[in-house]
Amino acid sequence: MSDSFDVIVIGGGPGGYVAAIRAAQNDMNAACIDKWVNKDGSQAFGGTCLNAGCIPSKALLESSELYHRAQCEFDKHGIRLESIAMDIATMQKRKTGIVTQLTSGIEMLFKANKVTGLKGIGRFLGDGQVEYTSHDGEKRMLSATHVVLATGSEPVELPMMPFDGDSIVDSWGALDFESVPERIAVIGAGVIGLELGSVWQRLGSSVTIIEAMDDFLFMADRQLARDAMRQFKRQGLDIRLGAMVTGAQKGDSGVVLSYDDAKGTQELTVDKVIVAVGRRPYSEGLLADGCGIETDEKGFISVDRECRTGVENVWAIGDVVRGPMLAHKSSEEGVMVADLMAGEVAEVNYNVIPSIIYTAPEMAWVGKTEEELKTAGIRYKVGSFSFAANGRAKAMEQASGMVKMIASEEDDSILGVHILGPMAGELIGEMVLGMEFSASAEDIQRTIHAHPTLSEALHEAALAVDGRAIHAMNK
Ligand code: FAD
Ligand code: NAD
């Protein structure tokens, strides 16, 4: 194997592996170095997303949701089950199977695109030099015209409750429970807390979510966040806001958590604690002294809008740089930098990055919230439509939640769309496309939406922007 490449990507998550493949498509000789090691010792490309994030969590969300629906919903369809049981080992085996299929798929894609996949550690030395250390400790000096840093992020640990891999775990640990814990505390009512809290609550755990902030899902639309919280509480998630954990004591009866809230100091005894208080950029051992790459006070590698680090031909993408920590954002940055290297015109539209929380109902949004527009002094109009009036949602027995569309008062362009409801994560795609193409609410109004589909709720919300919804009272 040659030690010289057009591009070396360090990190093989959805940012890095996508950048390497796109670089190869652009006729560049690309290598991708990744150091991921699974708990069973296997090494795999795919990063956090495929190995311990997006994919395994969605596999468990699906299994637990089906179990929950079989228990609570089938009856309404007239489906009577004599008994129902959850086999956690089978559920976990399915999850691992999906992860393995997808991570080995990356190796096949590397082969097909002639990307050199290197398992081990990459270290950027400066001047296009990368030190590669294989998992058995062998070192090689590689060089490249372009270097992409895509080393991702890691979970934040709370000093008063360090991870022990058993009773106090991060999200990766919470994806691997071998049985259903009786009592779980989740620290942080963010995306991970809600998704993994939902999984184990549906499977039978008593789940308490302790959130420091007074606002629930502060980044989401206020009205939808309030409605979501009501629904999650009704499902059995005990969400405690304005609660700051102060300590954790491990004993015979479990972990005794202490936290402060408006009423004073509280205690909660649980079997497992899932700490989900955010993630921080990961660049441990990546940057040799004097290599010229700068990081900010939070550890993010500093980049401009085009993911240039300031050191010529060195780029950084994904969770290790500013912006939302989302797989699709990482991948799009990977595509952008590989195209820019090849001299093509490329950009990421940071105004149109969708966010999805895969709870039931799902929450999804793109663009601005009403609160953000008010703060910015932008005049807007709003149209809403409830899934309670959508035929398909009713047929699916999932007629809760709503769509809210926000359009500019000035030129009718769509400024934001917020969905709480069934398949919100799929529905938001239409709105992402619309906003990418600078659609107006009228464009959506004049687009035929098949009947009966959930997407009709988007159509009706667009009509409601101008007080012309057909299947709702217009104010
Ligand atoms: P990563 O995926 O973290 O990949 C970085 C890779 O670099 C890792 O394999 C790491 O081992 C490797 N690496 C680090 N340092 C070195 C080095 N020096 N040498 C070689 N390799 C190195 N996002 C979504 O969009 N949708 C979701 O549904 C979603 N669900 C999630 C669920 C969970 C439980 C978690 C934890 C995260 C989830 N995310 C989700 C976030 C998503 O996983 C990240 O945004 C995404 O993985 C970031 O991609 P990345 O390529 O930047 O980094
Ligand atoms: P998050 O930022 O979404 O939520 C963390 C929550 O913890 C916040 O609400 C915060 O107020 C709270 N918190 C912080 N410190 C606390 C403390 N000491 N006590 C109590 N609460 C505290 O972070 P996360 O849920 O850990 O997720 C990390 C990242 O992973 C997110 O940026 C997210 O984008 C990504 N992710 C995305 C998805 C998805 O797209 N569906 C799923 C999982 C994770």
Side-chain angles (χ1 to χ4, degrees), residues 282-347:
Y282 179 81
S283 59
E284 199 181 297
L286 173 70
L287 305 171
D289 286 346
C291 71
I293 304 295
E294 286 178 13
T295 53
D296 70 13
E297 68 286 353
K298 290 188 174 154
F300 289 102
I301 294 178
S302 306
V303 287
D304 66 11
R305 214 176 155 83
E306 291 185 328
C307 291
R308 296 175 196 270
T309 59
V311 174
E312 205 184 349
N313 290 348
V314 182
W315 316 73
I317 58 171
D319 280 11
V320 78
V321 304
R322 84 285 173 265
M325 288 184 168
L326 295 171
H328 40 282
K329 176 262 190 186
S330 302
S331 297
E332 284 313 308
E333 289 182 336
V335 168
M336 173 179 70
V337 301
D339 284 353
L340 289 172
M341 282 172 207
E344 292 177 20
V345 175
E347 63 174 359

Side-chain angles (χ1 to χ4, degrees), residues 187-257:
I187 316 298
V191 194
I192 293 181
L194 291 170
E195 289 186 355
L196 294 184
S198 296
V199 165
W200 294 107
Q201 189 270 328
R202 291 167 191 166
L203 296 175
S205 299
S206 153
V207 176
T208 307
I209 304 187
I210 296 177
E211 165 60 46
M213 293 184 63
D214 294 322
D215 274 348
F216 180 65
L217 290 177
F218 67 92
M219 64 292 201
D221 175 83
R222 290 299 75 218
Q223 187 184 0
L224 266 61
R226 267 195 304 276
D227 189 4
M229 174 140 148
R230 251 193 314 274
Q231 296 204 46
F232 299 152
K233 280 189 161 177
R234 215 178 299 135
Q235 288 164 17
L237 285 177
D238 181 353
I239 302 171
R240 303 186 187 177
L241 301 179
M244 200 62 165
V245 276
T246 51
Q249 205 68 45
K250 286 187 262 183
D252 291 344
S253 59
V255 185
V256 183
L257 283 181

Side-chain angles (χ1 to χ4, degrees), residues 333-409:
E333 289 182 336
V335 168
M336 173 179 70
V337 301
D339 284 353
L340 289 172
M341 282 172 207
E344 292 177 20
V345 175
E347 63 174 359
V348 169
N349 184 352
Y350 288 99
N351 296 323
V352 188
I353 298 178
S355 295
I356 302 166
I357 308 179
Y358 295 82
T359 40
E362 292 182 354
M363 265 185 110
W365 65 92
V366 60
K368 303 282 185 217
T369 60
E370 286 193 69
E371 294 72 26
E372 286 168 334
L373 292 170
K374 271 185 203 136
T375 308
I378 296 170
R379 284 164 18 100
Y380 62 87
K381 42 189 184 165
V382 177
S384 303
F385 190 78
S386 165
F387 282 105
N390 176 275
R392 185 72 194 277
K394 283 209 162 314
M396 292 167 70
E397 197 61 40
Q398 292 182 44
S400 67
M402 65 185 283
V403 175
K404 180 190 273 194
M405 187 176 295
I406 308 173
S408 162
E409 183 81 62

Side-chain angles (χ1 to χ4, degrees), residues 15-85:
Y17 86 76
V18 169
I21 290 174
R22 175 51 74 98
Q25 288 172 345
N26 287 339
D27 292 328
M28 301 173 99
N29 177 16
C32 180
I33 307 173
D34 191 277
K35 71 172 187 178
W36 189 275
V37 181
N38 282 305
K39 289 173 189 164
D40 64 3
S42 61
Q43 302 154 14
F45 290 102
T48 307
C49 174
L50 273 77
N51 290 292
C54 325
I55 299 302
S57 61
K58 268 75 245 177
L60 297 191
L61 277 156
E62 191 65 28
S63 299
S64 60
E65 173 64 5
L66 286 178
Y67 177 61
H68 172 78
R69 294 184 68 187
Q71 278 184 317
C72 305
E73 220 176 273
F74 278 19
D75 204 44
K76 291 187 187 147
H77 294 269
I79 304 169
R80 306 264 184 269
L81 298 172
E82 290 292 304
S83 70
I84 172 167

Side-chain angles (χ1 to χ4, degrees), residues 100-172:
T100 310
Q101 270 174 22
L102 292 177
T103 54
S104 43
I106 296 175
E107 303 216 19
M108 290 198 290
L109 290 172
F110 277 180
K111 276 206 185 88
N113 286 283
K114 300 193 172 54
V115 171
T116 304
L118 297 169
K119 289 175 177 165
I121 301 163
R123 181 170 164 81
F124 178 61
L125 305 178
D127 276 338
Q129 302 295 303
V130 172
E131 179 188 77
Y132 162 62
T133 309
S134 69
H135 284 295
D136 48 24
E138 198 187 314
K139 284 191 193 303
R140 269 172 51 195
M141 205 57 77
L142 309 177
S143 65
T145 312
H146 294 273
V147 175
V148 181
L149 310 173
T151 48
S153 61
E154 62 177 348
V156 170
E157 192 171 39
L158 291 174
M160 72 293 254
M161 50 180 87
F163 300 127
D164 64 8
D166 176 29
S167 53
I168 302 178
V169 297
D170 62 10
S171 53
W172 197 6

